[in-house]
Amino acid sequence: MQTNARLPLIAGNWKMNTTIDEAKVLAGRLRPTLDKIDGVEKLVCPPFVSLSAAKDALQGSSVKIGAQNVYFEEKGAFTGEISPLMLAGLCEYVIIGHSERRQYFKESGEMINKKIKAAIKAGLKPILCVGERLEENEAGKTSQVVVSQLKDALADLGNANGLVVAYEPVWAIGTGKAATGGQSNETIGLIRSTVGALTDAGAAAAMRILYGGSVTAENVAEFISQPEIDGGLVGGASLRAEQFTAIVKRTSEIKGG
Ligand code: PGA
């Protein structure tokens, strides 16, 4: 498998943080330092209302932009929703099926599947999040949960080119209690083979799979040094410019160039 062909990706998920002005400041602070780091794809995912401001602040920079969610219809009477067509001119990536969306907004596997298809159709690159809850982990059901989430999300997808998957154990998100590199590597290996079986093996071999859940500048090396792990989806630490830059830098040192 051509593991070295996969460009590492570090994505910052700002979640529901930053006003438009704060987003401009954060993007402006990240830009000069991140632009100096090679061998890693750098991505920030601000709230919807700040996408345009972030796009302006990062114009001509190597730092890319993603959204945190998308609806699956193109337009119509869906008050409060944002369509893939609206995002297409604003950003390159979109996070889909984050555990917070599954948990607080009751997103089902079927909905996530529709969102993935709609995003791809609009030319966006989805970052599909999967991961088990604490009780599922403790019951030894991690593999079962992750495989079932992938089957739902990728049903009838056909072509998985451009898809990114993030393995985010729910118990590790925002808790300061990251998983271990070894465990994550094993689960991510399973994710790769499952995506291969569900779509095609070549696309799965080339697909980036990230680890997410309490990633910091201090622990990122443990994940990035694993052969199956191609980067990170970073929440809390992505709101601090020095932390996020340090995570990207460490990734470049270990995997890049
Ligand atoms: P965290 O969030 O880094 O704050 O744990 C990760 C995520 O939810 O994507």
Side-chain angles (χ1 to χ4, degrees):
M1 302 245 155
Q2 299 175 310
T3 45
N4 57 356
R6 301 193 298 257
L7 180 65
L9 170 63
I10 298 290
N13 174 9
W14 295 2
K15 306 196 180 183
M16 198 176 72
N17 296 292
T18 68
T19 60
I20 295 175
D21 284 344
E22 288 164 349
K24 276 188 212 164
V25 170
L26 182 53
R29 290 189 62 203
L30 288 169
R31 177 183 180 139
T33 47
L34 291 185
D35 272 342
K36 292 196 193 101
I37 307 173
D38 295 325
V40 180
E41 189 170 7
K42 299 146 271 187
L43 174 69
V44 292
C45 302
F48 283 130
V49 294
S50 294
L51 287 174
S52 184
K55 187 178 180 223
D56 290 345
L58 295 170
Q59 197 72 52
S61 153
S62 60
V63 182
K64 295 179 173 171
I65 301 174
Q68 299 173 16
N69 182 30
V70 67
Y71 196 55
F72 51 80
E73 296 287 353
E74 292 188 344
K75 61 178 177 177
F78 303 101
T79 303
E81 291 298 317
I82 304 288
S83 106
L85 298 185
M86 297 170 186
L87 292 180
L90 272 178
C91 60
E92 188 170 331
Y93 285 88
V94 57
I95 298 171
I96 294 179
H98 190 280
S99 67
E100 287 150 17
R101 304 262 358 138
R102 294 179 192 256
Q103 185 181 347
Y104 304 133
F105 304 100
K106 306 288 171 256
E107 287 196 8
S108 64
E110 192 189 343
M111 221 171 169
I112 291 165
N113 176 247
K114 286 185 184 169
K115 290 184 174 198
I116 299 266
K117 288 175 180 160
I120 291 175
K121 187 174 171 213
L124 296 163
K125 296 174 184 161
I127 301 177
L128 165 67
C129 301
V130 297
E132 81 287 0
R133 298 195 309 266
L134 181 61
E135 59 274 25
E136 294 165 335
N137 180 279
E138 287 173 347
K141 291 188 174 159
T142 299
S143 303
Q144 194 186 316
V145 169
V146 163
V147 167
S148 135
Q149 288 174 336
L150 290 170
K151 278 187 182 159
D152 287 349
L154 304 181
D156 307 316
L157 185 66
N159 187 342
N161 285 332
L163 178 75
V164 174
V165 176
Y167 168 57
E168 298 205 302
V170 180
W171 48 271
I173 295 178
T175 58
K177 189 172 164 252
T180 66
Q183 283 166 353
S184 308
N185 191 61
E186 210 175 287
T187 305
I188 287 178
L190 170 71
I191 290 173
R192 196 176 303 286
S193 58
T194 305
V195 173
L198 291 170
T199 60
D200 77 273
M207 184 178 73
R208 271 94 53 88
I209 311 183
L210 317 178
Y211 166 79
S214 297
V215 172
T216 62
E218 290 70 42
N219 68 15
V220 68
E222 174 174 353
F223 299 100
I224 290 304
S225 53
Q226 300 288 338
E228 290 289 349
I229 305 183
D230 304 311
L233 181 55
V234 185
S238 73
L239 294 168
R240 285 153 53 210
E242 327 70 55
Q243 266 282 323
F244 192 65
T245 304
I247 290 169
V248 173
K249 195 154 181 282
R250 202 74 194 96
T251 303
S252 165
E253 285 161 5
I254 296 172
K255 283 246 202 271

